């Protein structure tokens, strides 16, 4: 008689755990699998999916890219920066390569590009390359907006005092959003645009104080929050004041007379009234409102007959004058 004996495999029970606390065998196997997967993930090498990020910077400034690498027990020497799939030379002083450890598993790698110009506009990314691993970060793009400034010009080569001077600043439309405004008298400007261009116009009276002044237009690049400036050639105002005297020139003695000096001068102009008689010039000092463009003579005198009344205007650096010859009639001559 043959007796068969069957022996069940006993799973060792950790001390301190009673039989009632035993977990099912399938659950125990699952926990071992999870631990194994976690261990393998902990040794995975990867770049942070959000880095490096796009950079937009104006010329002559410096740009900086950053990427994060998750890894353990690997040398950091295998990390390189690529510019459009071409490895950057670490000896090139155009670039600065930096790295630091954030924590036990995260390393930060930075690329600094000095004195950015249009040739630096490209895509950049990190590469980790060893005999067992070769991975790359996402691509980031360096955008270098055009340094072009608006073209500004006066509509005429020169202006007389009091003329309406006109400046126009224009720029071709691009994909970059921008705005323009004048650095002076901006409240007088008007804006215009068509399909291809945008321009602003400024119309203002030419004043002597503006002679040889450069007017500026500033361009604001929204994406980089930066102003670019453009200046016109100097405003040329012709050194000429057109001055005349309005008023009667024939009077009877002992009557009042009024004269007005008119011309293309500004409100800042100063006036000097003089009489010239027998080649002797003397100022009119006894009248009211001196240094005004109006002259009032309470009583015309016979000695003023044949005298030249002259109004001299000084407006900033410009000087001009106008004159009339007075006739004083003698009542005896009228009989």
């Amino acid at each position: 008689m043959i007796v068969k004996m069957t022996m069940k495999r006993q799973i060792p029970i950790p001390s301190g755990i009673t039989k009632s606390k035993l977990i099912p065998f399938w659950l125990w196997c699952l926990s071992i699998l999870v631990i194994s997967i976690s261990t393998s993930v902990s040794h995975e090498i990867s770049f942070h999916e959000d880095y490096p990020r796009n950079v937009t910077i104006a010329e002559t400034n410096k740009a900086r890219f950053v990427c994060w690498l998750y890894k353990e027990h690997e040398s950091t020497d295998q990390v390189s920066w690529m510019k459009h799939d071409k490895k950057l030379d670490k000896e090139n002083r155009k670039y600065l390569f930096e790295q630091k450890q954030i924590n036990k598993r995260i390393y930060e790698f930075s690329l600094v590009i000095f004195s950015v110009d249009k040739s630096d506009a490209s895509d950049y990314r990190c590469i980790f390359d060893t005999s067992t691993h070769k991975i790359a970060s996402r691509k980031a793009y360096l955008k270098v907006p055009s340094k072009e400034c608006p073209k500004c010009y006066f509509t005429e080569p020169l202006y007389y005092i009091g003329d309406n001077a006109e400046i126009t600043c224009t720029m071709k439309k691009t994909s970059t959003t921008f705005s323009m405004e004048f650095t002076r008298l901006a409240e007088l400007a008007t804006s215009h645009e068509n399909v291809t261009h945008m321009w602003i116009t400024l119309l203002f009276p030419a004043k002597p104080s503006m002679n040889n002044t450069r007017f500026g237009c500033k361009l604001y690049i929204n994406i980089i929050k930066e102003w670019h400036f453009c200046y016109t050639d100097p405003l040329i105002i012709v050194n000429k004041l057109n001055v005349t005297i309005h008023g009667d020139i024939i009077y009877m003695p002992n009557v009042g007379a009024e004269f007005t000096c008119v011309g293309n001068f500004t409100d800042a102009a100063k006036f000097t009234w003089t009489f010239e008689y027998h080649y002797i010039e003397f100022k009119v000092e006894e009248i009211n409102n001196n240094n005004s463009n109006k002259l009032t003579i309470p009583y015309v005198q016979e000695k003023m007959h044949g005298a030249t009344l002259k109004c001299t205007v000084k407006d900033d650096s410009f000087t001009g004058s106008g004159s009339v010859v007075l006739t004083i009639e003698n009542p005896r001559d009228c009989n």
Side-chain angles (χ1 to χ4, degrees):
M1 179 177 174
I2 300 174
V3 178
K4 292 185 179 180
M5 299 181 66
T6 303
M7 298 184 64
K8 293 184 179 180
R9 183 181 177 184
Q10 297 293 321
I11 298 176
I13 302 173
S15 61
I17 299 180
T18 62
K19 193 170 184 179
S20 62
K21 294 182 181 180
L22 287 176
I23 60 176
F25 180 71
W26 66 270
L27 185 58
W28 178 82
C29 292
L30 180 61
S31 64
I32 297 298
L33 178 61
V34 170
I35 293 173
S36 300
I37 293 175
S38 300
T39 303
S40 64
V41 170
S42 66
H43 292 284
E44 180 184 356
I45 300 174
S46 63
F47 283 106
H48 193 296
E49 62 182 7
D50 294 332
Y51 291 89
R53 293 178 174 174
N54 296 335
V55 174
T56 300
I57 198 86
E59 291 182 80
T60 72
N61 293 308
K62 66 179 180 181
R64 186 172 185 264
F65 290 101
V66 174
C67 65
W68 283 4
L69 179 67
Y70 298 95
K71 67 181 186 64
E72 286 183 354
H73 313 303
E74 293 282 356
S75 171
T76 58
D77 295 336
Q78 279 74 31
V79 174
S80 304
W81 281 92
M82 309 290 287
K83 175 185 178 182
H84 193 58
D85 298 329
K86 182 179 179 181
K87 185 177 179 180
L88 295 178
D89 183 6
K90 292 187 177 182
E91 301 299 322
N92 190 337
R93 294 187 177 183
K94 169 80 173 178
Y95 309 108
L96 175 64
F97 302 88
E98 300 176 320
Q99 68 179 54
K100 64 179 179 181
Q101 187 170 355
I102 304 299
N103 57 34
K104 183 179 179 181
R105 292 199 59 244
I106 302 177
Y107 293 81
E108 179 183 278
F109 297 87
S110 300
L111 167 65
V112 179
I113 306 173
F114 295 104
S115 190
V116 168
D117 57 41
K118 297 293 287 185
S119 65
D120 295 313
S122 184
D123 59 87
Y124 294 82
R125 61 177 174 167
C126 284
I127 298 292
F128 181 79
D129 190 3
T130 67
S131 58
T132 57
H133 298 85
K134 185 172 184 178
I135 58 173
S137 69
R138 71 187 291 271
K139 287 184 178 181
Y141 295 87
L142 175 59
K143 297 181 180 180
V144 185
S146 173
K147 194 69 176 179
E148 181 184 0
C149 291
K151 293 180 174 60
C152 296
Y153 55 89
F154 286 102
T155 55
E156 299 292 340
L158 54 86
Y159 297 91
Y160 289 104
I161 298 173
D163 287 350
N164 281 328
E166 183 176 352
I167 311 173
T168 297
C169 289
T170 182
M171 187 166 178
K172 186 176 181 180
K173 287 184 177 179
T174 64
S175 58
T176 304
T177 305
F178 61 86
S179 58
M180 291 188 295
E181 66 180 64
F182 287 103
T183 56
R184 299 181 60 176
L185 306 176
E187 68 279 3
L188 302 178
T190 56
S191 300
H192 315 271
E193 63 178 300
N194 57 22
V195 177
T196 59
H197 287 77
M198 176 178 176
W199 68 95
I200 54 177
T201 300
L202 180 61
L203 192 67
F204 59 93
K207 299 181 179 180
S209 59
M210 296 177 178
N211 190 39
N212 287 320
T213 299
R214 291 179 181 271
F215 282 76
C217 174
K218 54 185 181 179
L219 171 73
Y220 185 72
I221 309 294
N222 297 48
I223 194 170
I224 60 175
K225 295 179 172 56
E226 183 175 289
W227 289 102
H228 293 172
F229 292 86
C230 168
Y231 292 92
T232 64
D233 290 332
L235 171 63
I236 303 300
I237 300 177
V238 177
N239 187 9
K240 183 179 180 181
L241 281 172
N242 298 317
V243 181
T244 59
I245 297 177
H246 287 187
D248 294 335
I249 60 174
I250 302 176
Y251 293 90
M252 298 293 290
N254 301 321
V255 298
E258 291 186 354
F259 302 94
T260 303
C261 189
V262 298
N264 57 345
F265 42 79
T266 68
D267 294 339
K270 295 182 178 180
F271 307 87
T272 302
W273 292 88
T274 58
F275 277 110
E276 182 179 311
Y277 185 64
H278 288 216
Y279 307 104
I280 299 176
E281 187 175 86
F282 56 94
K283 291 185 179 180
V284 179
E285 298 176 349
E286 67 275 11
I287 63 173
N288 297 324
N289 300 322
N290 199 17
N291 197 33
S292 167
N293 70 320
K294 294 183 180 297
L295 172 65
T296 300
I297 302 177
Y299 302 101
V300 173
Q301 303 174 28
E302 289 188 34
K303 66 178 182 179
M304 295 180 181
H305 176 70
T308 299
L309 177 63
K310 184 178 180 181
C311 177
T312 301
V313 181
K314 185 172 178 58
D315 197 348
D316 199 79
S317 59
F318 300 99
T319 302
S321 62
S323 62
V324 293
V325 177
L326 298 182
T327 299
I328 311 300
E329 293 184 340
N330 192 320
R332 292 187 297 269
D333 298 335
C334 298
N335 293 328

